[in-house]
Amino acid sequence: MVTHDLVLRSRRTVLPDGERPAAVAVRAGTIAAVAPYDAVLPAAADRDLGDLALLPGLVDTHVHINEPGRTAWEGFATATRAAAAGGVTTLVDMPLNALPPTTTVEALRIKRAAARDKIGVDVGFWGGAVPGNLPDLRPLHDAGVYGFKCFMSDSGVPEFPPLDAERMAAAFAAVAAFDGLMIVHAEDPGVLTEPASGEYGAFLASRPPSAERRAVERVIALAERTGVRAHILHLSAADCLEPLAAARARGVRITAETCPHYLTLSDADAVTPAFKCCPPIRDAANRDALWDGLAAGVITCVVTDHSPCTPDLKQGDFATAWGGVSSLQLGFAAVWTAARERGRTLADVTGWMAAAPAALAGLPRKGAIAVGNDADLVAFDTGAVRVVDPADLHHRNPVTAYAGRTLAGRAVTTWLRGVPVDDVPRGALLTRNGAP
């Protein structure tokens, strides 16, 4: 008789076709069976989760881990600990804010060496497209990065400059030649201005929706011309939904993500620089329209854009402070809190924050409770209510826009390949298609 290592039973198991009672059996780190809730499944351990929901491990494809080089801002150990506490079992790290940025194969080697033996969850890497590294894109692809990030405007760090129109077109064509993925920070520098003051209203006015829309339209045109797969990062402006929907309808290979802070906060909440990010958090009507974009499938996934820094860089005003919202540990609970108030289901949120990001990056064993997938699982208490205390956060610098906010839902236990995540770094370094 086959004996499993672990069986988890829940009356609220979130499966690819919806939520229902089920038993999930794990053997050798893999989901070996998904059976009826009361099925007899011999196992070394059998746990009934009671009222807890059972989710697939979440996948966050937009995280700035910042190690090496700016490890005082964040690091692999602290970021992955925060991720696991929030139910996230797979991260894909952005190529900038670490030193060196991931724009060459050697820089990727350095970053992987920095991560090795520190990670509590699985970690993969994006590459970067910057002026001068066009010859590095194919070697990075072959070395296993999941795609290439570029900026159309200033990135905030000098070692990762933006691409002008000519270089961006060349990068899109080069990546299209090997059917890679371009992911774009889409704000048009010709529309952006310097804030007139340090107030949030002035900062918001300096980065209007038209900056995003013009940039998105440029990306659409380039994707249509080159045939590249393109993805819009951290979509903030709902004005972009119409051209994105039209492009997808005519077959352009373009997708878009948004972030928890754009779905759960508004400009009225932005009282300290902890709320500053680029593109900015906009008004409540814009927030409602982003939810409509999710419901319509124009926005396909929700990821955190966890972009932390040291506390001193979040001092001052909105003109001078570092832009980035830290929410890796809180993202799922924040979105779940808002989603259930809007009549959305746990399966909806899990689809946006697990299955869709896994599909974007090409992680076929992640993001769903299905036979053959990694046994990355989360016991989630949907009704737990807490007031966010920064002292409870695991990322290196406990600064967050969610401080003091009441959130529903908490990850009670997170399993990575069937083993509960603890202080032992059992995470794996991932590569696209198992590249060496």
Side-chain angles (χ1 to χ4, degrees):
M1 182 176 293
V2 173
T3 299
H4 303 287
D5 301 319
L6 173 68
V7 171
L8 296 172
R9 302 175 191 273
S10 172
R11 298 191 182 278
R12 299 191 63 189
T13 304
V14 177
L15 301 171
D17 59 352
E19 181 183 317
R20 67 173 185 269
V24 178
V26 178
R27 186 167 60 249
T30 299
I31 297 172
V34 178
Y37 171 79
D38 55 359
V40 176
L41 296 165
D46 193 316
R47 179 178 172 186
D48 192 319
L49 296 178
D51 294 331
L52 301 178
L54 182 61
L55 316 179
L58 308 176
V59 177
D60 195 338
T61 53
H62 196 147
V63 180
H64 295 268
I65 297 178
N66 302 345
E67 186 177 4
R70 292 192 175 96
T71 311
W73 293 19
E74 188 59 283
F76 286 104
T78 51
T80 57
R81 192 176 302 126
V88 180
T89 55
T90 303
L91 304 178
V92 186
D93 173 61
M94 282 291 162
L96 71 157
N97 297 350
L99 292 169
T102 317
T103 54
T104 66
V105 171
E106 174 61 13
L108 175 63
R109 185 197 65 77
I110 291 169
K111 183 172 279 192
R112 288 171 60 84
R116 191 167 287 113
D117 301 325
K118 294 180 183 177
I119 52 177
V121 303
D122 289 354
V123 177
F125 301 96
W126 296 110
V130 296
N133 86 323
L134 196 66
D136 296 292
L137 300 183
R138 182 60 190 257
L140 276 165
H141 176 80
D142 292 343
V145 301
Y146 287 92
F148 301 92
K149 181 175 187 176
C150 70
F151 278 76
M152 302 173 73
S153 55
D154 180 33
S155 73
V157 291
E159 68 275 2
F160 203 97
L163 297 178
D164 60 22
E166 182 179 354
R167 290 187 175 100
M168 191 166 162
F172 272 47
V175 172
F178 51 79
D179 198 29
L181 174 64
M182 287 294 302
I183 62 174
V184 185
H185 182 125
E187 289 183 287
D188 190 309
V191 178
L192 303 179
T193 61
E194 290 298 318
S197 74
E199 299 300 314
Y200 189 75
F203 170 68
L204 185 59
S206 74
R207 307 184 91 95
S210 58
E212 283 191 79
R213 175 148 181 163
R214 280 184 54 176
V216 166
E217 289 172 343
R218 283 179 55 198
V219 174
I220 290 169
L222 266 180
E224 195 159 22
R225 190 168 84 223
T226 63
V228 80
R229 290 187 298 136
H231 179 73
I232 303 299
L233 298 166
H234 45 46
L235 186 73
S236 154
D239 285 1
C240 300
L241 296 173
E242 182 273 328
L244 282 167
R248 286 167 63 85
R250 63 179 184 268
V252 180
R253 299 201 297 169
I254 190 162
T255 53
E257 69 188 34
T258 193
C259 303
H261 39 281
Y262 301 131
L263 295 171
T264 65
L265 305 173
S266 76
D267 57 348
D269 298 307
V271 293
T272 73
F275 293 82
K276 180 181 177 181
C277 54
C278 301
I281 297 165
R282 305 191 188 276
D283 61 36
N286 180 85
R287 179 184 63 199
D288 292 344
L290 291 177
W291 279 99
D292 293 340
L294 268 174
V298 181
I299 299 171
T300 55
C301 54
V302 180
V303 290
T304 62
D305 188 12
H306 177 71
S307 185
C309 61
T310 52
D312 59 296
L313 296 178
K314 278 294 190 183
Q315 302 301 313
D317 58 30
F318 285 99
T320 59
W322 174 260
V325 173
S326 298
S327 62
L328 183 53
Q329 187 171 334
L330 304 170
F332 190 82
V335 176
W336 167 242
T337 301
R340 70 176 192 171
E341 293 172 354
R342 294 171 179 268
R344 308 302 304 203
T345 67
L346 195 58
D348 291 332
V349 182
T350 303
W352 298 327
M353 301 188 75
L360 168 71
L363 293 159
R365 294 175 59 90
K366 304 292 188 182
I369 298 176
V371 173
N373 278 9
D374 291 343
D376 300 344
L377 302 162
V378 182
F380 188 73
D381 186 347
T382 59
V385 176
R386 56 178 159 159
V387 176
V388 175
D389 180 352
D392 295 333
L393 301 178
H394 294 290
H395 61 262
R396 188 176 299 278
N397 297 293
V399 176
T400 180
Y402 293 96
R405 296 184 72 86
T406 299
L407 300 183
R410 181 190 293 270
V412 176
T413 305
T414 300
W415 292 267
L416 183 70
R417 285 181 289 278
V419 178
V421 178
D422 53 24
D423 290 335
V424 178
R426 296 187 182 91
L429 292 169
L430 304 178
T431 61
R432 179 193 49 79
N433 296 333

